[in-house]
Amino acid sequence: MDSCRIPANASKCSGNTMECFMVLSMQAQKISISILCGLFGTMCVFENSLVLYLIFSSPGIRKKPSYLFIGSLALADILASIIFVCSFVNFHVFNEAGFSKEVFLLQLGGVNTSFSASLSSLLLTALDRYISISRPSEYKLLMTRKRAWTALAVLWVTCATIAGLPLLGWNCCTLDSSCSELFPFVDDNYLSGWICFVVVLLGCIVCAYAHVLWRARQHVAYMEQHQAQAGKQNSRMRMDVMLAKTLAMVLAVLMLCWSPVLVLIIYSIFSRLSDRLRKVFAFCSTLCLLNSMVNPIIYALRSKELFSSLRRVLSHFRRQLKAPEESPEADSTHKSSVIET
């Protein structure tokens, strides 16, 4: 095991750095974490997989940049759920500390990449809505599928690079610097930089949505004044307003679920955490799974196109279930039984 500077409040850990971060001491706490991770993680993977299927199985939906960004968000949530649940339960519940520093930082990098990509996908979606509402006549020229795929590629590469910096050498073992009290091997300076990156993303999203919702409110007022002659333009505006409100709900859920985690991370940089706060952080971390689980529900309830696609899939599934009952074999069996009678 690589030796690093142990957090000041974890000196009782007998020199084993990994065990210093295993804060769940009671069996009831481990069972609770296992149930939360298992429930939220399973639902998250199922729901986001369904969203991806609905998007890419419908030619009309997958051609729209807005839904490409939503698909990126769903993919990021799936990856975050799988990596987070496996690594988190393995570490905190089963107290597995036999893996190397590189393996742990690789797992942590996967979680950070997925979360950063999820947040960045929301930013791209916000910018997409901003262009759609502020410059509607030029939207199709400005936001093409090629530009959308290019933006997504840059997004994922950037997030993976930032999240992989500890694995590449920016960690407290290599630099012999102060380690974080919440994450093994993670340098406090890197954690501060990552928090700044997240805060900038959140700030940009909030600014974009503030403008989008302001323009959406203007469109609502315009539609009320010109309802008689607006026609097709009003229909498009209503779709923009609906999607803007939907994504604002997604952002609100994101802030509610991740604020406790971010606040505790920031607090740990400037002050020492008690064992109780570290346990609170472990439980608050599961809220990220709740956020990933709620997002697809919001899409299904608020997006008419996704909801219509879901109804088509369910209708097709019901027809397939009824098909065996209406097969020729079933009909012939029914007829023969009538003749015998």
Side-chain angles (χ1 to χ4, degrees), residues 39-59:
L39 178 62
F40 293 163
T42 302
M43 292 299 297
C44 175
V45 172
F46 171 76
E47 292 172 359
N48 283 286
S49 298
L50 180 60
V51 169
L52 284 178
Y53 175 77
L54 294 177
I55 291 176
F56 290 99
S57 64
S58 175

Side-chain angles (χ1 to χ4, degrees), residues 187-199:
D187 179 70
D188 269 339
N189 292 326
Y190 168 79
L191 197 58
S192 301
W194 185 80
I195 288 294
C196 291
F197 172 67
V198 170
V199 170

